């Protein structure tokens, strides 16, 4: 079955960096675009970033642009989120999610989500 | 960016009731609208895509409608497991945006 497992979360000081990973299985990872979505404590869902199936297209939320980088390694079936210059506003559960249509970047929904990894930015 | 506004923000209902949640987009998004269910401490679950199509395995008690700027999610015959928070999301354009959520509570 399709499975996404995030890792790499933890407690980090303001201004530092962290890299999240999302290990995919049960589907042809290299054919699907992937997203990161986050949720601050007690708050709603916030879309963070997307990457196309081949890594050639990426978009970011304004709140993370210039600080976060989404990438993927299709040989390892793994999605990444490099987070730099972290601030308290980045404290959240981070989810990876899969697009529902292969080889398509626009106009396709998210279908499967991982269980999330928690990032806490605190001194 | 396209703003998504859900109403109500919270809703109380009894087991067996039916409810409707509304989602409005600040710009027309055709039918590029999804609905998600989230229970406390859990990841969101995809319910509906393309405004009215059920994801695989989602029971038919969930239904969606709408196009353009106005959308609804209807849940019939509420059961205890349906009490959760529901989010709409537009995928017409990047950045994708979510509604603020509707918390459905047991009366």
């Amino acid at each position: 079955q399709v499975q996404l497992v995030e890792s790499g979360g933890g407690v980090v000081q303001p201004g530092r960096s962290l890299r999240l990973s999302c290990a995919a299985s049960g589907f042809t990872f290299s054919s699907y675009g992937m997203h990161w979505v986050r949720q601050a404590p007690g708050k709603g869902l916030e879309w963070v970033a997307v990457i196309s199936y081949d890594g050639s297209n990426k978009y970011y939320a304004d709140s993370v642009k210039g600080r976060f980088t989404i990438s993927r390694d299709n040989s390892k079936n793994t999605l990444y989120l490099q987070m730099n210059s972290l601030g308290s506003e980045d404290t959240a559960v981070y989810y990876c999610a899969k697009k529902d249509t292969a080889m398509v970047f626009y106009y396709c929904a998210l279908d499967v989500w991982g269980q999330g990894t928690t990032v806490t930015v605190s001194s | 960016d396209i703003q998504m506004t859900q109403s109500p923000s919270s809703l109380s209902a009894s087991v067996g009731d039916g409810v409707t949640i509304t989602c409005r987009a600040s710009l027309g998004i055709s039918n590029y609208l999804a609905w998600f269910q989230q229970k406390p401490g859990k990841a969101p679950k995809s319910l509906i895509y393309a405004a009215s199509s059920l994801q695989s395995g989602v029971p038919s008690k969930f239904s969606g409608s709408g196009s353009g700027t106005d959308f609804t999610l209807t849940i019939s015959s509420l059961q205890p497991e349906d009490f959760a928070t529901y989010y709409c999301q537009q995928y017409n354009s990047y950045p994708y945006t979510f509604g603020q959520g509707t918390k459905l509570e047991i009366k």
Side-chain angles (χ1 to χ4, degrees), chain B residues 18-92:
Chain B
V19 296
T20 296
I21 299 168
T22 296
C23 179
R24 175 163 290 175
S26 60
L27 296 173
I29 59 169
S30 185
N31 68 333
Y32 298 116
L33 190 283
W35 290 96
F36 302 92
Q37 176 194 66
Q38 188 179 33
K39 298 179 181 179
K42 299 295 186 182
K45 174 186 175 182
S46 303
L47 296 177
I48 286 172
Y49 65 98
S52 61
S53 298
L54 288 181
Q55 288 283 0
S56 175
V58 174
S60 58
K61 64 187 306 179
F62 293 94
S63 63
S65 66
S67 183
T69 60
D70 294 310
F71 303 87
T72 60
L73 172 69
T74 299
I75 313 170
S76 63
S77 187
L78 286 167
Q79 296 302 304
E81 61 269 23
D82 300 326
F83 291 90
T85 300
Y86 293 85
Y87 295 92
C88 63
Q89 184 211 29
Q90 67 82 18
Y91 54 97
N92 179 79

Side-chain angles (χ1 to χ4, degrees), chain A residues 35 39 44-45 47 50 59 95 99 105-111 113-114, chain B residues 1 32 36 38 42-44 46 49 55 87 89 91-92 94-96 98:
Chain A
H35 298 261
Q39 186 170 37
L45 300 171
W47 178 84
V50 63
Y59 279 99
Y95 298 100
K99 282 186 174 292
F105 187 62
Y106 295 100
Y107 306 120
C108 53
L110 285 61
D111 59 358
W113 297 60
Chain B
D1 298 0
Y32 298 116
F36 302 92
Q38 188 179 33
K42 299 295 186 182
S46 303
Y49 65 98
Q55 288 283 0
Y87 295 92
Q89 184 211 29
Y91 54 97
N92 179 79
Y94 293 113
Y96 286 6
F98 290 89

Side-chain angles (χ1 to χ4, degrees), chain A residues 59-71:
Chain A
Y59 279 99
Y60 298 91
D62 285 345
S63 58
V64 307
K65 201 174 296 182
R67 299 188 300 122
F68 289 13
T69 301
I70 189 171
S71 63

